Amino acid sequence: MEKIITLNNDGSLNVPDTPVIPYISGDGTGQDIWNAARLVLDAAVEKTYEGKKKIIFLEVLAGKTAFEKTGEWLPKETLETIKKHRVAIKGPLTTPVGEGMRSLNVAIRQELDLFACIRPVRYIKGVPSPCNDPQAINMTIFRENTEDLYKGIEWEAGTPEAKEAISFIREKSGQDLDENFTGIGIKPISIKNTKRLVKKAIQFAVDNKRPNVTLMHKGNIMKFTEGAFLKWGLEVGDEFSEIITEQELWDKFDGRVPEGKIILKSRIADNMFQQVLLRPEEYDVIACPNLNGDYISDLLAAMVGGLGLAPGANVGSECAVFEATHGTAPKYAGLDKVNPGSVILSGAMMLDHMGWQPAAELIRSAIQKAILNKRVTYDLARQIPGAIELKCSGFAEEICACMD
Ligand code: NAP
């Protein structure tokens, strides 16, 4: 019988054997990817639990399909259903550039208060990488998911709102901005959202015995937003007995990490980009404001095979929505071509989150085998000499075959 996942008093999940999980298939390539991902998720659960457990997937609408069927891009019912079921999975949704509605993805994250975007980046053997030592790449990004860029406070150049903001800025700061030809964007970063994000990142490092957490910021230039992120992040570090800062490491321990301690590092964002490329082994968990997290996610994804293999989770205290890092890749829509690996791996993260780790592990090892067999989608095939290019659906079938 179908059942609903519930939340225990301590925040952990109570997962029945046949949980209902809402899904949004997504725009563009979303439908192809979702069909492929569902095949793999169902097969992994079936093979692992031999019929004793099964996910009952429930479609909820968002994006183009929702608009065509209901006249709304993000029906209230979709958010209510996700809230009620606690765990959901989604494909990518289109956001127009420079005009039109604000992002539905952002709306979902904000409405459900999914404050942490968690993106693990790990090298899979056999995947082409532009780095010399890709095996060293094993990082988990914690990107703040509700403010900074995502607040979307902007006024177009020449509008009364932009002019009013410019007049306020002129009065308060003396900055002389051209009031007719200057667009205005505001970047809010708060103590509450910073602290809960950094706390989650550090707790993850503690729970998983990871050696360090880096606060990635641009606090040298934006002192009261990105600089405050660093200050408040360090304050969170003080609350954990496991944490020592890099400064303390040298001042008190002569650079030798004491048993059981986790190093809290701080890096300015531009420096961080070159450091993760040149010395990936020195970075482990990364906590950052929204925009920095957006950029570094795609860079790190490229270091381990590209967006086709980059999973993610948007997690709050009440529910979690699992989704790929990439977008709708519209030029490939309907071609059954793109790599479904990112949504499949996001599904594996979802199974971990539900406590169904053996099924998640089966998926990860089957993807590893398919890649070593060199039977992959176009994005990997064009980089792996001698590879056979499979369609999106074909790659999913290959992964299922590799579960035997
Ligand atoms: P994108 O959809 O991520 O695609 C950029 C490029 O990444 C593609 O052209 C392709 O590279 C590669 N790629 C993406 N997904 C892939 C996959 N599954 N397998 C293999 N390669 C893949 O980024 P975009 O073109 O900038 O954005 C398109 C739309 O998606 C926009 O409306 C954007 O707002 C939206 N978006 C949505 C989400 C979300 O729903 N969470 C996230 C990001 C963007 P090649 O051209 O080299 O083959």
Side-chain angles (χ1 to χ4, degrees), residues 33 90-96 105 109 307-308 323-332 338-339 342 378-379 382:
I33 295 176
K90 74 173 272 291
L93 296 169
T94 305
T95 309
N105 302 303
R109 293 166 196 175
L307 284 172
E323 68 170 328
T325 297
H326 64 68
T328 54
K331 66 184 176 187
Y332 300 122
V338 293
N339 189 342
S342 40
Y378 84 98
D379 53 322
R382 70 187 169 188

Side-chain angles (χ1 to χ4, degrees), residues 217-258:
H217 60 90
K218 192 69 189 160
N220 52 331
I221 303 295
M222 292 171 276
K223 298 182 194 303
F224 305 123
T225 49
E226 302 254 340
F229 179 91
L230 171 63
K231 175 174 170 280
W232 295 326
L234 290 171
E235 285 172 11
V236 174
D238 289 341
E239 295 168 19
F240 283 81
S241 59
E242 297 86 349
I243 287 287
I244 54 173
T245 61
E246 265 182 316
Q247 187 73 41
E248 287 167 336
L249 177 67
W250 289 101
D251 289 353
K252 295 188 190 160
F253 304 102
D254 205 21
R256 281 185 291 274
V257 183

